[in-house]
């Protein structure tokens, strides 16, 4: 969803990498933490603005319980140089 929104708004995204953790490790999940690293030559604020629209397009986000504690951390990295 993030890349779809970025393409629509013409914000260049080179790469996205993420990690998800949930607690507790067993039983009913009460908390989810998502960390996304996004590599882009665009301004950090421009990339950060994509997150809200991407969440609204995400099928998985729509399936999560409303009482679930969900946090998404977004880190914008500079465009990687090819050596």
């Amino acid at each position: 969803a993030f890349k779809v929104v970025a393409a629509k708004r013409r914000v260049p995204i080179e790469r996205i990498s993420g990690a998800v953790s949930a607690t507790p490790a067993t039983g009913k999940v009460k908390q989810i933490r998502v960390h996304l690293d996004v590599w882009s030559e665009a301004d950090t604020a421009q990339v950060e603005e994509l997150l809200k629209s991407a969440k609204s397009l995400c099928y998985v986000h729509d399936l999560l319980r409303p009482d679930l504690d969900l946090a998404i951390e977004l880190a914008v990295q500079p465009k990687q140089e090819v050596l």
Side-chain angles (χ1 to χ4, degrees):
F2 200 91
K3 282 190 167 186
V4 170
V5 173
K8 187 173 183 177
R9 295 186 184 178
R10 298 183 180 177
V11 176
I13 301 295
E14 180 182 343
R15 186 176 130 202
I16 298 175
S17 177
V20 178
S21 63
T23 54
T26 60
K28 187 175 181 179
V29 173
K30 296 180 180 177
Q31 184 181 66
I32 295 177
R33 297 288 175 253
V34 178
H35 176 87
L36 294 175
D37 284 301
V38 178
W39 284 263
S40 176
E41 62 188 32
D43 293 334
T44 298
Q46 194 176 12
V47 176
E48 289 173 345
E49 287 176 17
L50 301 173
L51 187 57
K52 184 176 181 180
S53 294
K55 282 171 44 177
S56 70
L57 286 176
C58 179
Y59 297 124
V60 174
H61 185 267
D62 286 347
L63 294 172
L64 297 174
R65 297 186 331 262
D67 65 325
L68 189 63
D69 181 13
L70 173 66
I72 301 174
E73 177 187 352
L74 178 68
V76 180
Q77 310 295 335
K79 181 179 177 184
Q80 292 180 319
E81 297 297 324
V82 178
L83 299 176

